[in-house]
Amino acid sequence: MSNDIPSSVLRTTAFQCVRCGLTVAAFAPDGRRRNHCPRCLYSQHVRDQVEGGPSECRSGMSPIAIAVLRNGDWELIHNCTRCGELTSNPICGDDNQFILMRMAVRPLAQPPFPLETFGDL
Ligand SMILES: [Zn+2]
Ligand SMILES: [Zn+2]
């Protein structure tokens, strides 16, 4: 397989969101490269996380969770809808804050045990 297609994808200055179709600038307003759509937060599986090279999967990657780094920065966890690969990437300043907050509070909103338990402690 040729590497021409993936490397040309990485060089482009804009991409189209695989889910909502929004045309997304490849660089955020703060100059950082972005890999996901600011509106629906979907990404596309174009890089192999383990080997670091281009991936031929090219399927959509759904945002499934927020991870908080030691320095307080938020990372978005993506899950490939086809091959199941997990990736983490920094959020951008103009990412959809409603979706970010919804994912961040989901574990607290849906605890796997009854909250009434705490009343008995
Ligand atoms: Zn989108
Ligand atoms: Zn994949």
Side-chain angles (χ1 to χ4, degrees):
M1 268 292 173
S2 163
N3 284 335
D4 289 339
I5 294 172
S7 61
S8 68
V9 167
L10 294 173
R11 272 199 302 272
T12 54
T13 55
F15 61 90
Q16 191 168 33
C17 174
V18 290
R19 183 162 187 267
C20 73
L22 184 72
T23 298
V24 181
F27 291 93
D30 62 4
R32 288 199 292 180
R33 175 171 281 278
R34 75 158 99 235
N35 78 327
H36 57 266
C37 171
R39 184 160 73 186
C40 72
L41 305 186
Y42 265 65
S43 183
Q44 188 177 19
H45 192 182
V46 293
R47 289 195 76 80
D48 187 318
Q49 192 83 347
V50 177
E51 298 179 4
S55 169
E56 286 160 19
C57 179
R58 326 250 330 137
S59 293
M61 301 190 80
S62 61
I64 58 168
I66 298 293
V68 184
L69 305 181
R70 285 170 190 260
N71 62 9
D73 286 350
W74 279 25
E75 294 243 314
L76 194 51
I77 308 299
H78 281 108
N79 182 215
C80 180
T81 55
R82 189 173 80 169
C83 73
E85 172 141 307
L86 293 169
T87 62
S88 66
N89 288 282
I91 63 166
C92 294
D94 56 352
D95 279 350
N96 186 326
Q97 295 175 345
F98 176 73
I99 300 179
L100 289 174
M101 287 306 292
R102 197 175 59 190
M103 281 192 292
V105 304
R106 185 181 295 145
L108 295 176
Q110 300 174 334
F113 41 77
L115 287 177
E116 290 72 32
T117 309
F118 292 110
D120 301 331
L121 295 177

